[in-house]
Amino acid sequence: MGEAQGDGTSSHRGGGCNGPSATDNGFREPEHGRVQVTEYHIGVDSTDSAELGMCTTYLGALIIEEMEKLPVELSTYPELVRLNPNVPWKTRGNGAVALRFSGRRGQERRMFDTCCEMIEKYSIMEDPQTNPGLVVISGNVPEEFTETYHEALHRLMGTEEIIPLLKEHECLFRGWKNGRGLIGAVSAVGARFDEFTYEAILYRNGEVKDRERLVDPGSVREASRKHPSTFFNVDDRGDLVCIPHSPCPVICGIRGLEPVDTRSALLEVSAGRAERWVLWRTNQHTDVHIVAIDSLKDASPYSSVSLDVVVDSEPSYHGGGHLSIPVRDGSGHTMTAWAYEPTKEFRKELSGLIRGDSIRIWGSVREGGGRFERGINLEKVEVQELEKKRDLVNPRCPLCGGPTESMGKGQGLRCKSCGNREGLEKLPMEVKRKLSPGMIEPPPTAWRHLFRPSSVTPVKELEVAPPFHGLLFEDHQ
Ligand SMILES: [Zn+2]
């Protein structure tokens, strides 16, 4: 019930999904005695559950292994595609996967059927947020899929926008339950990264649901020291941040900017129960979810934006330790920016802002409702120009130059050296600001997947360095 399906039965050209320019993808070409090859793209989303485990990337790893039993092989890195972090129904990190293969023509039906079986076997269907989607295409990726990828990063989309597209291109696709995973599946297939990073992930068996991971922290610290292009492994205090504490199959994820380095670092991590690994290419830490806007009136709910604003009044703390910062844009629109308690030092630094400070903000737009107004949840802030801050301070004594002190409320001032009390009045004096121009960012524990820290410069040039995945049964059991 409620399943969206398409299997290209209206077409007898062998199914699959061809780009708008490739209406005839070569099935009528003479074969000249050689095997005709094509590209296949598989997109999967929404199979996991924040509470009950699984991880769509783990299913991706298993699918790769099954697909390679067919006459196809991975043609590039598997891709971990993070989508809009603000969607209310995301499973965990709103991450879909795209797997791209090349191989003998005519495999798409078998690939599709195998993927369907695996999704049904492994997805956490009992979680209401888990609504798997699968797309399998051959040939070129339609341009509209890439447009969908960009839209799905920036706004809420519905399956009603996706299904006509899939039918138009005669794709093999299937959505389970409400089928929302189709949005991520199409977006993943359509994803084209202008900038990217890598994440090498180590997996245990999906049956294992412990929240504890059997990872030797020393081996992670050593691996991250030896492989400097990796990041986000260990925080300032030396605590591991690359290990989830959920019941999912991920043991450890090493993020990096260089594929060989990232893979080597992961394989040097000493971990119990490790079974397999995958080196993902990903849009993580690229800020691709951010849209630069000029006015707060363009800050639409569920999008992520950046813009220049001026602090409108002093920041203040609220219940739970959250900090609010009223801001105003160049055309006079106002909104409240928020830094939440888990961002710790970030929030504390921002509390030093004063009215008139010029800042650039990055964050996600929160829809108003109930007792909350629309606001911006801050991801990072650049201090551009600080307003002069003046405080009333005690003057020096005009007679002897000594320091002065207050004698109590309404009692005036007195020189501490000579006792003079005449002609003394507090003076407005410029005081040094604790803040200085530059970036203010949360600690790694508060980073979101797409957040681009100033310490990370994502990669632009693709270096294809297989292997992309592997098994570790013998080494680690
Ligand atoms: Zn004096």
Side-chain angles (χ1 to χ4, degrees):
M1 197 182 68
E3 285 185 6
Q5 283 200 54
D7 60 4
T9 46
S10 62
S11 160
H12 297 284
R13 292 183 298 152
C17 195
N18 306 303
S21 58
T23 50
D24 183 337
N25 66 358
F27 272 80
R28 290 175 205 132
E29 281 173 22
E31 295 228 349
H32 298 306
R34 64 187 169 90
V35 176
Q36 296 269 304
V37 296
T38 190
E39 292 287 318
Y40 297 99
H41 307 266
I42 298 176
V44 183
D45 189 27
S46 191
T47 66
D48 54 358
S49 159
E51 295 304 316
L52 302 170
M54 255 304 285
C55 175
T56 301
T57 71
Y58 175 69
L59 182 54
L62 300 181
I63 289 175
I64 294 167
E65 290 163 24
E66 284 304 307
M67 293 301 113
E68 290 191 335
K69 294 174 184 169
L70 302 174
V72 300
E73 61 179 0
L74 274 179
S75 54
T76 184
Y77 298 96
E79 291 164 16
L80 166 53
V81 183
R82 298 286 178 186
L83 298 167
N84 191 343
N86 309 323
V87 304
W89 54 71
K90 65 185 171 190
T91 49
R92 289 189 313 142
N94 204 9
V97 304
L99 308 173
R100 307 185 194 278
F101 298 87
S102 60
R104 194 188 299 167
R105 280 188 195 282
Q107 302 302 311
E108 52 268 57
R109 170 54 69 179
R110 285 176 73 189
M111 295 173 97
F112 178 75
D113 290 345
T114 304
C115 289
C116 284
E117 278 169 33
M118 295 180 76
I119 287 170
E120 282 171 9
K121 180 172 174 191
Y122 291 103
S123 298
I124 310 293
M125 297 288 189
E126 61 268 37
D127 187 327
Q129 300 283 57
T130 305
N131 294 282
L134 166 70
V135 176
V136 177
I137 72 174
S138 64
N140 300 326
V141 174
E143 198 56 44
E144 294 100 315
F145 284 27
T146 302
E147 287 161 19
T148 301
Y149 163 62
H150 288 288
E151 288 195 47
L153 278 164
H154 300 132
R155 66 174 179 89
L156 298 190
M157 295 189 79
T159 48
E160 71 283 357
E161 300 174 78
I162 300 295
I163 289 171
L165 199 60
L166 289 160
K167 288 185 172 159
E168 182 193 333
H169 291 282
E170 297 174 344
C171 300
L172 295 170
F173 70 94
R174 185 157 178 202
W176 284 261
K177 294 165 68 185
N178 72 22
R180 232 175 235 147
L182 281 170
I183 302 163
V186 168
S187 303
V189 166
R192 228 178 275 155
F193 302 150
D194 295 327
E195 294 183 305
F196 53 90
T197 61
Y198 296 92
E199 181 168 1
I201 302 181
L202 194 60
Y203 300 96
R204 58 187 181 180
N205 192 293
E207 304 284 307
V208 182
K209 303 283 185 193
D210 294 359
R211 288 179 182 270
E212 204 183 322
R213 302 299 193 267
L214 307 175
V215 173
D216 167 19
S219 70
V220 177
R221 290 186 199 111
E222 178 65 10
S224 62
R225 193 189 58 74
K226 264 179 74 185
H227 302 283
S229 83
T230 66
F231 60 93
F232 193 66
N233 307 325
V234 179
D235 69 11
D236 298 342
R237 293 177 308 182
D239 291 336
L240 305 193
V241 291
C242 55
I243 291 175
H245 300 285
S246 63
C248 81
V250 174
I251 294 176
C252 171
I254 298 286
R255 301 178 190 207
L257 300 174
E258 204 277 307
V260 177
D261 217 30
T262 307
R263 180 174 56 219
S264 302
L266 183 78
L267 296 176
E268 286 166 24
V269 170
S270 156
R273 294 199 279 213
E275 289 199 347
R276 45 176 53 80
W277 61 271
V278 175
L279 176 56
W280 297 92
R281 190 164 78 97
T282 174
N283 59 357
Q284 287 173 170
H285 307 300
T286 62
D287 265 0
V288 71
H289 62 311
I290 300 279
V291 183
I293 57 174
D294 294 323
S295 168
L296 285 166
K297 72 175 169 19
D298 300 325
S300 40
Y302 306 111
S303 70
S304 302
V305 299
S306 70
L307 81 160
D308 294 333
V309 292
V310 171
V311 176
D312 207 28
S313 59
E314 306 281 306
S316 54
Y317 280 106
H318 298 258
H322 311 310
L323 183 75
S324 70
I325 308 165
V327 297
R328 178 168 38 85
D329 67 17
S331 48
H333 294 92
T334 57
M335 205 175 270
T336 303
W338 291 87
Y340 288 106
E341 192 281 331
T343 62
K344 306 285 178 196
E345 286 303 310
F346 173 65
R347 182 195 50 154
K348 211 164 150 190
E349 276 190 75
L350 293 176
S351 69
L353 289 167
I354 62 168
R355 184 185 160 91
D357 285 342
S358 296
I359 57 178
R360 184 168 187 83
I361 59 176
W362 285 257
S364 54
V365 183
R366 160 178 111 177
E367 174 67 300
R371 51 203 184 90
F372 297 107
E373 297 173 347
R374 183 175 298 184
I376 296 183
N377 297 345
L378 292 172
E379 291 184 18
K380 60 185 170 184
V381 171
E382 182 183 13
V383 175
Q384 295 171 324
E385 213 178 326
L386 290 168
E387 186 72 353
K388 285 189 168 55
K389 185 176 184 179
R390 288 172 187 278
D391 275 354
L392 288 176
V393 298
N394 295 350
R396 305 298 290 193
C397 171
L399 301 182
C400 74
T404 59
E405 63 185 350
S406 174
M407 295 188 297
K409 208 172 179 194
Q411 301 289 303
L413 300 166
R414 177 177 63 190
C415 174
K416 281 163 100 172
S417 304
C418 73
N420 167 45
R421 295 166 60 170
E422 298 300 315
L424 295 176
E425 209 177 329
K426 283 190 180 264
L427 298 172
M429 291 271 284
E430 192 180 333
V431 294
K432 193 166 160 27
R433 298 289 303 271
K434 281 184 192 148
L435 286 169
S436 48
M439 293 298 300
I440 304 178
E441 298 176 356
T445 48
W447 290 1
R448 303 171 89 186
H449 292 297
L450 287 166
F451 171 74
R452 177 178 181 152
S454 52
S455 56
V456 170
T457 303
V459 188
K460 288 191 166 77
E461 299 273 315
L462 181 60
E463 179 198 341
V464 181
F468 307 123
H469 72 118
L471 293 172
L472 298 163
F473 289 93
E474 289 150 14
D475 299 339
H476 285 262
Q477 276 196 341

